Amino acid sequence: GYLIGTSPAGVTPPTTPPGSPTALLPPWPIFRVAIALNEFFEAAAVATRPPPVQVKTLATAYWQSEISYSLTKSGAIDEVGAEGGVACEDVAAKLKLVPDFLCRMMRAGEGIKLLSTDAQGKYSLTPAGDMLRSEHPGSLRSFMLMINEETTKAWRAAGTKSLSSGQSGFKEAFGKEWWAWHNEPSRATQMRQFDAAMRSLNADVSGALLVDWAPPKEDALVCDIGGGAGHMTAAMVKHYPKLKGIVFDQPKVVASSTKEVLAELG
Protein backbone atom coordinates (compact mmCIF):
# COMPACT_ATOMS: atom_id res chain seq x y z
CA GLY A 1 0.00 0.00 0.00
CA TYR A 2 2.81 2.42 0.83
CA LEU A 3 4.56 1.95 -2.53
CA ILE A 4 1.30 2.47 -4.40
CA GLY A 5 0.26 5.53 -2.39
CA THR A 6 3.42 7.59 -2.80
CA SER A 7 5.17 9.22 -5.72
CA PRO A 8 7.39 6.73 -7.61
CA ALA A 9 9.93 9.34 -8.60
CA GLY A 10 9.59 11.89 -5.84
CA VAL A 11 9.60 15.67 -6.29
CA THR A 12 12.53 18.02 -6.90
CA PRO A 13 11.77 21.59 -5.71
CA PRO A 14 13.06 24.46 -7.89
CA THR A 15 15.35 25.60 -5.07
CA THR A 16 17.27 23.54 -2.52
CA PRO A 17 18.73 25.92 0.09
CA PRO A 18 21.66 25.08 2.40
CA GLY A 19 20.52 22.98 5.34
CA SER A 20 17.48 21.67 3.46
CA PRO A 21 15.66 18.90 5.37
CA THR A 22 15.49 16.97 2.11
CA ALA A 23 19.17 16.16 2.63
CA LEU A 24 18.18 14.04 5.65
CA LEU A 25 16.43 11.55 3.36
CA PRO A 26 18.08 8.97 1.10
CA PRO A 27 17.25 8.95 -2.63
CA TRP A 28 13.49 8.62 -2.97
CA PRO A 29 13.30 5.15 -4.62
CA ILE A 30 15.64 3.73 -1.96
CA PHE A 31 13.64 5.43 0.79
CA ARG A 32 10.37 3.97 -0.47
CA VAL A 33 11.80 0.43 -0.72
CA ALA A 34 13.45 0.71 2.71
CA ILE A 35 10.15 1.75 4.32
CA ALA A 36 8.31 -1.11 2.62
CA LEU A 37 10.93 -3.63 3.78
CA ASN A 38 10.85 -2.27 7.32
CA GLU A 39 7.06 -2.62 7.43
CA PHE A 40 7.30 -6.17 6.07
CA PHE A 41 9.82 -7.31 8.68
CA GLU A 42 7.89 -5.64 11.49
CA ALA A 43 4.73 -7.45 10.39
CA ALA A 44 6.66 -10.72 10.17
CA ALA A 45 8.03 -10.24 13.69
CA VAL A 46 4.54 -9.65 15.09
CA ALA A 47 3.10 -12.60 13.20
CA THR A 48 5.72 -15.00 14.58
CA ARG A 49 5.65 -13.69 18.16
CA PRO A 50 3.79 -15.98 20.61
CA PRO A 51 0.69 -14.28 22.12
CA PRO A 52 2.07 -14.32 25.73
CA VAL A 53 5.24 -12.58 24.53
CA GLN A 54 3.18 -10.05 22.58
CA VAL A 55 1.09 -9.21 25.67
CA LYS A 56 4.14 -8.88 27.92
CA THR A 57 5.85 -6.69 25.33
CA LEU A 58 2.83 -4.37 25.22
CA ALA A 59 2.52 -4.30 29.02
CA THR A 60 6.15 -3.30 29.55
CA ALA A 61 6.61 -1.02 26.52
CA TYR A 62 6.56 2.07 28.73
CA TRP A 63 9.74 0.90 30.46
CA GLN A 64 11.71 1.96 27.39
CA SER A 65 10.26 5.47 27.38
CA GLU A 66 10.93 5.78 31.13
CA ILE A 67 14.58 4.82 30.63
CA SER A 68 14.89 7.25 27.72
CA TYR A 69 13.22 10.02 29.72
CA SER A 70 15.41 9.42 32.77
CA LEU A 71 18.67 9.56 30.84
CA THR A 72 17.52 12.71 29.02
CA LYS A 73 15.99 14.58 31.95
CA SER A 74 18.84 13.79 34.37
CA GLY A 75 21.42 15.21 31.98
CA ALA A 76 23.21 11.86 31.53
CA ILE A 77 22.83 11.98 27.74
CA ASP A 78 24.36 15.47 27.58
CA GLU A 79 27.13 14.46 29.98
CA VAL A 80 28.14 11.49 27.84
CA GLY A 81 28.16 13.99 24.99
CA ALA A 82 29.10 13.77 21.37
CA GLU A 83 32.60 12.46 22.10
CA GLY A 84 31.61 9.73 24.56
CA GLY A 85 34.12 7.37 26.17
CA VAL A 86 33.07 8.13 29.76
CA ALA A 87 32.45 5.91 32.78
CA CYS A 88 29.00 5.94 34.36
CA GLU A 89 30.57 6.72 37.76
CA ASP A 90 32.13 9.88 36.31
CA VAL A 91 28.78 10.92 34.85
CA ALA A 92 27.14 10.36 38.24
CA ALA A 93 29.79 12.42 40.01
CA LYS A 94 29.41 15.39 37.65
CA LEU A 95 25.61 15.30 37.93
CA LYS A 96 25.66 14.61 41.70
CA LEU A 97 23.59 11.46 41.28
CA VAL A 98 23.79 8.09 43.04
CA PRO A 99 26.33 6.04 41.01
CA ASP A 100 24.69 2.66 41.54
CA PHE A 101 21.30 3.80 40.30
CA LEU A 102 22.61 5.85 37.39
CA CYS A 103 24.88 3.02 36.23
CA ARG A 104 21.90 0.67 36.24
CA MET A 105 19.91 3.16 34.20
CA MET A 106 22.76 3.59 31.74
CA ARG A 107 23.07 -0.18 31.33
CA ALA A 108 19.35 -0.21 30.57
CA GLY A 109 19.98 2.59 28.06
CA GLU A 110 22.52 0.34 26.38
CA GLY A 111 19.87 -2.38 26.20
CA ILE A 112 17.52 -0.12 24.23
CA LYS A 113 20.33 1.10 21.97
CA LEU A 114 20.65 4.67 23.22
CA LEU A 115 24.13 3.99 24.60
CA SER A 116 26.99 1.67 23.74
CA THR A 117 30.07 0.56 25.71
CA ASP A 118 33.65 -0.12 24.70
CA ALA A 119 35.99 -2.83 25.98
CA GLN A 120 36.66 -0.79 29.12
CA GLY A 121 32.96 -0.40 29.85
CA LYS A 122 32.94 3.31 29.00
CA TYR A 123 29.81 4.77 27.46
CA SER A 124 29.18 6.56 24.19
CA LEU A 125 25.97 7.62 22.47
CA THR A 126 24.49 5.65 19.61
CA PRO A 127 23.08 7.64 16.66
CA ALA A 128 19.64 7.47 18.33
CA GLY A 129 20.99 8.55 21.72
CA ASP A 130 22.92 11.37 20.08
CA MET A 131 19.63 12.91 18.92
CA LEU A 132 18.67 13.46 22.57
CA ARG A 133 21.61 15.80 23.19
CA SER A 134 20.67 19.41 23.77
CA GLU A 135 23.24 20.61 21.23
CA HIS A 136 22.43 18.17 18.43
CA PRO A 137 21.30 20.11 15.31
CA GLY A 138 18.18 17.94 15.06
CA SER A 139 17.76 17.41 18.80
CA LEU A 140 14.63 15.56 19.93
CA ARG A 141 15.30 16.28 23.60
CA SER A 142 12.32 18.61 24.04
CA PHE A 143 10.03 16.11 22.33
CA MET A 144 11.23 13.32 24.62
CA LEU A 145 10.59 15.45 27.71
CA MET A 146 7.22 16.82 26.59
CA ILE A 147 5.82 13.47 25.52
CA ASN A 148 6.79 11.87 28.86
CA GLU A 149 5.55 14.61 31.19
CA GLU A 150 2.02 16.08 31.06
CA THR A 151 1.17 14.05 27.97
CA THR A 152 1.46 10.72 29.80
CA LYS A 153 -1.12 11.72 32.41
CA ALA A 154 -3.49 12.89 29.69
CA TRP A 155 -3.22 9.57 27.84
CA ARG A 156 -3.87 7.58 31.02
CA ALA A 157 -6.93 9.70 31.74
CA ALA A 158 -8.13 9.36 28.14
CA GLY A 159 -7.99 5.58 28.43
CA THR A 160 -9.80 5.45 31.76
CA LYS A 161 -11.88 8.47 32.79
CA SER A 162 -12.67 9.79 29.29
CA LEU A 163 -14.35 6.52 28.40
CA SER A 164 -17.10 7.39 30.88
CA SER A 165 -17.12 11.20 30.82
CA GLY A 166 -16.58 11.94 27.11
CA GLN A 167 -14.18 14.76 28.04
CA SER A 168 -10.64 14.95 26.71
CA GLY A 169 -7.95 13.11 28.58
CA PHE A 170 -6.11 16.36 29.21
CA LYS A 171 -9.10 17.98 30.87
CA GLU A 172 -9.70 14.91 32.97
CA ALA A 173 -6.09 14.91 34.13
CA PHE A 174 -5.56 18.63 34.65
CA GLY A 175 -9.01 20.17 34.94
CA LYS A 176 -8.53 22.34 31.85
CA GLU A 177 -8.13 21.81 28.14
CA TRP A 178 -4.64 21.72 26.65
CA TRP A 179 -4.39 25.35 25.48
CA ALA A 180 -6.00 26.82 28.58
CA TRP A 181 -3.58 24.95 30.84
CA HIS A 182 -0.45 25.71 28.81
CA ASN A 183 -1.33 29.39 28.43
CA GLU A 184 -1.29 29.96 32.17
CA PRO A 185 1.68 32.15 33.20
CA SER A 186 2.94 29.42 35.54
CA ARG A 187 3.16 27.00 32.58
CA ALA A 188 5.57 29.10 30.50
CA THR A 189 8.27 26.42 30.81
CA GLN A 190 5.95 23.71 29.50
CA MET A 191 4.82 25.95 26.64
CA ARG A 192 8.40 26.67 25.58
CA GLN A 193 9.14 22.97 25.76
CA PHE A 194 6.11 22.20 23.58
CA ASP A 195 7.19 24.80 21.00
CA ALA A 196 10.69 23.32 20.92
CA ALA A 197 9.24 19.81 20.58
CA MET A 198 7.16 20.87 17.59
CA ARG A 199 10.17 22.54 15.98
CA SER A 200 12.20 19.36 16.43
CA LEU A 201 9.62 17.39 14.47
CA ASN A 202 9.60 19.86 11.58
CA ALA A 203 12.74 18.65 9.77
CA ASP A 204 11.53 15.07 9.29
CA VAL A 205 7.99 16.06 8.35
CA SER A 206 8.89 18.93 6.04
CA GLY A 207 11.64 16.88 4.39
CA ALA A 208 9.22 14.05 3.63
CA LEU A 209 6.62 16.53 2.34
CA LEU A 210 9.03 18.36 0.07
CA VAL A 211 10.23 15.22 -1.70
CA ASP A 212 6.73 13.82 -2.25
CA TRP A 213 4.50 16.87 -2.85
CA ALA A 214 4.60 19.95 -5.05
CA PRO A 215 2.19 22.91 -5.02
CA PRO A 216 -0.20 23.09 -8.01
CA LYS A 217 1.86 26.04 -9.24
CA GLU A 218 5.01 27.71 -7.96
CA ASP A 219 3.24 30.95 -6.94
CA ALA A 220 0.34 29.19 -5.20
CA LEU A 221 -1.08 30.29 -1.85
CA VAL A 222 -0.99 27.62 0.86
CA CYS A 223 -2.59 27.76 4.31
CA ASP A 224 -1.26 25.71 7.22
CA ILE A 225 -4.10 25.22 9.72
CA GLY A 226 -2.68 24.77 13.22
CA GLY A 227 0.72 25.56 11.74
CA GLY A 228 2.31 26.53 15.06
CA ALA A 229 5.43 28.65 14.65
CA GLY A 230 5.20 28.35 10.87
CA HIS A 231 8.37 26.34 10.31
CA MET A 232 6.67 24.01 7.82
CA THR A 233 5.45 26.94 5.73
CA ALA A 234 8.87 28.58 5.98
CA ALA A 235 10.50 25.40 4.67
CA MET A 236 8.09 25.32 1.74
CA VAL A 237 8.73 28.99 0.87
CA LYS A 238 12.50 28.43 0.97
CA HIS A 239 12.14 25.68 -1.63
CA TYR A 240 9.45 27.49 -3.66
CA PRO A 241 10.46 31.19 -3.48
CA LYS A 242 7.35 32.35 -5.37
CA LEU A 243 5.03 30.56 -2.98
CA LYS A 244 2.83 32.54 -0.54
CA GLY A 245 1.86 31.09 2.80
CA ILE A 246 -0.65 31.70 5.60
CA VAL A 247 -0.19 30.17 9.04
CA PHE A 248 -3.33 29.91 11.16
CA ASP A 249 -3.01 29.18 14.87
CA GLN A 250 -3.68 30.50 18.37
CA PRO A 251 -3.01 34.28 18.64
CA LYS A 252 -0.43 33.74 21.36
CA VAL A 253 1.44 31.18 19.25
CA VAL A 254 1.50 33.45 16.21
CA ALA A 255 2.58 36.48 18.24
CA SER A 256 5.52 34.63 19.80
CA SER A 257 6.63 33.05 16.52
CA THR A 258 6.54 35.90 13.99
CA LYS A 259 10.08 37.21 14.60
CA GLU A 260 11.52 33.71 14.68
CA VAL A 261 10.01 32.71 11.34
CA LEU A 262 10.96 36.00 9.67
CA ALA A 263 14.54 35.46 10.84
CA GLU A 264 14.46 31.93 9.44
CA LEU A 265 13.32 33.24 6.07
CA GLY A 266 16.04 35.87 6.12
Side-chain angles (χ1 to χ4, degrees), residues 11 13 15-28 31 131 137-138 199-212 230-240 264-265:
V11 172
T15 302
T16 303
S20 170
T22 60
L24 299 173
L25 300 173
W28 193 237
F31 179 71
M131 296 203 71
R199 282 197 301 274
S200 72
L201 297 179
N202 179 67
D204 289 344
V205 177
S206 60
L209 173 70
L210 288 164
V211 297
D212 191 46
H231 294 285
M232 174 70 78
T233 304
M236 293 169 64
V237 171
K238 284 182 178 180
H239 291 76
Y240 294 90
E264 185 175 336
L265 290 172

Side-chain angles (χ1 to χ4, degrees), residues 22-224:
T22 60
L24 299 173
L25 300 173
W28 193 237
I30 296 175
F31 179 71
R32 296 173 70 241
V33 172
I35 292 295
L37 286 173
N38 184 65
E39 291 178 348
F40 170 78
F41 286 119
E42 282 189 355
V46 172
T48 57
R49 187 177 297 151
V53 175
Q54 175 71 0
V55 172
K56 291 173 184 176
T57 300
L58 292 171
T60 58
Y62 76 98
W63 291 358
Q64 298 187 46
S65 60
E66 287 296 330
I67 294 165
S68 306
Y69 176 78
S70 171
L71 294 173
T72 305
K73 182 75 171 180
S74 67
I77 291 288
D78 279 338
E79 199 59 50
V80 173
E83 299 301 321
V86 297
C88 62
E89 293 85 1
D90 293 337
V91 175
K94 289 183 179 180
L95 296 175
K96 299 181 180 180
L97 300 173
V98 178
D100 181 48
F101 280 89
L102 180 63
C103 289
R104 291 184 195 180
M105 195 63 69
M106 291 179 70
R107 285 196 295 274
E110 183 180 10
I112 61 173
K113 312 303 182 186
L114 292 179
L115 298 167
S116 63
T117 52
D118 59 19
Q120 288 74 45
K122 294 187 176 181
Y123 286 90
S124 296
L125 299 176
T126 64
D130 193 44
M131 296 203 71
L132 295 173
R133 282 192 303 113
S134 300
E135 300 303 317
H136 189 285
S139 177
L140 290 170
R141 173 185 167 84
S142 292
F143 179 75
M144 174 64 72
L145 299 180
M146 183 272 293
I147 212 71
N148 283 286
E149 290 179 356
E150 62 265 26
T151 308
T152 57
K153 296 180 180 178
W155 271 107
R156 175 55 60 89
T160 53
K161 297 178 181 178
S162 296
L163 293 176
S164 300
S165 69
Q167 295 190 109
S168 71
F170 204 95
K171 187 170 184 178
E172 285 289 357
F174 297 96
K176 295 182 178 181
E177 293 293 359
W178 195 96
W179 281 109
W181 189 85
H182 280 84
N183 280 329
E184 292 179 351
S186 61
R187 309 295 180 192
T189 299
Q190 286 89 344
M191 192 65 208
R192 284 194 299 271
Q193 183 167 277
F194 172 77
D195 288 340
M198 294 300 100
R199 282 197 301 274
S200 72
L201 297 179
N202 179 67
D204 289 344
V205 177
S206 60
L209 173 70
L210 288 164
V211 297
D212 191 46
W213 174 88
K217 52 182 182 177
E218 290 189 12
D219 61 348
L221 174 65
V222 297
C223 183
D224 189 353

